[in-house]
Amino acid sequence: MGATRPLLGLVLAVVVALSVYVLGHLLARHRVPSLATGPREGFAGWLLLLAAGQWLTVLLLLAALIRRMPLMADADHPQQLRLFGHLLLLALALSSAILMTRKSRLYPRLLRLELVLLVVVPPIDALWLTEENGAYVTEPKLWIAFAVRLAATGMFAAAWYLYSEHSRRVRATFVR
């Protein structure tokens, strides 16, 4: 019973994210082109906010990895798998931030992969790496917080995903 509620939360997050995505596509189709002479390039506007968030993600993942690092290593401990996962996420975020700084054309694709992982990894982590203890049955507020967090993360990721697909500034900046 406890494993079905996070799955329901994941489905809810995917539905909300897809609805934001479809709504964004519909709004982008009916947008009137601006009178600007050409596409702007460089880190400014929303792209500057995205760049700051990318480097902040690297710093937060590094801090989480250091905080969870055990003083003594035990290869059989299940926490090692979680540390390895954090290390892989840190490597992905760092390589993405470096590609962003170099204005590589691969960055928008890597950003979209990061955004998908942002929505998918927490429910998998909650389902796979936690033991069955009935916390969702005894504490319904925890389940509600989990579902709301998934929905909010899905909307956030869908909005940035749409921005990375439709922004002329993104297309003009990442060309190397």
Side-chain angles (χ1 to χ4, degrees), residues 4-9 135-136 139-148:
T4 58
R5 288 191 178 184
L7 283 176
L8 186 62
Y136 291 103
E139 298 181 22
K141 290 181 182 177
L142 184 63
W143 149 243
I144 292 169
F146 184 75
V148 167

Side-chain angles (χ1 to χ4, degrees), residues 12-26 151 154-155 158 162:
L12 177 68
V14 168
V15 166
V16 169
L18 286 176
S19 63
V20 169
Y21 181 78
V22 168
L23 181 66
H25 267 292
L26 289 174
M155 288 188 296
L162 283 170

Side-chain angles (χ1 to χ4, degrees), residues 43 46-55 57-58 92-101 104-119 156-167 169-171 174:
F43 293 103
W46 289 106
L47 189 58
L48 184 61
L49 182 66
L50 183 66
Q54 183 69 49
W55 281 107
T57 300
V58 170
L92 177 69
L94 184 62
S95 62
S96 181
I98 290 171
L99 286 175
M100 178 201 58
T101 305
S104 172
R105 61 183 165 81
L106 298 175
Y107 172 70
R109 293 181 189 144
L110 204 54
L111 172 69
R112 292 179 195 127
L113 176 66
E114 275 185 313
L115 292 171
V116 168
L117 287 175
L118 180 69
V119 175
F156 173 82
W160 283 112
Y161 194 97
L162 283 170
Y163 175 75
S164 70
E165 274 190 344
H166 296 288
S167 172
R169 184 178 295 276
V170 169
R171 278 184 260 135
F174 300 108

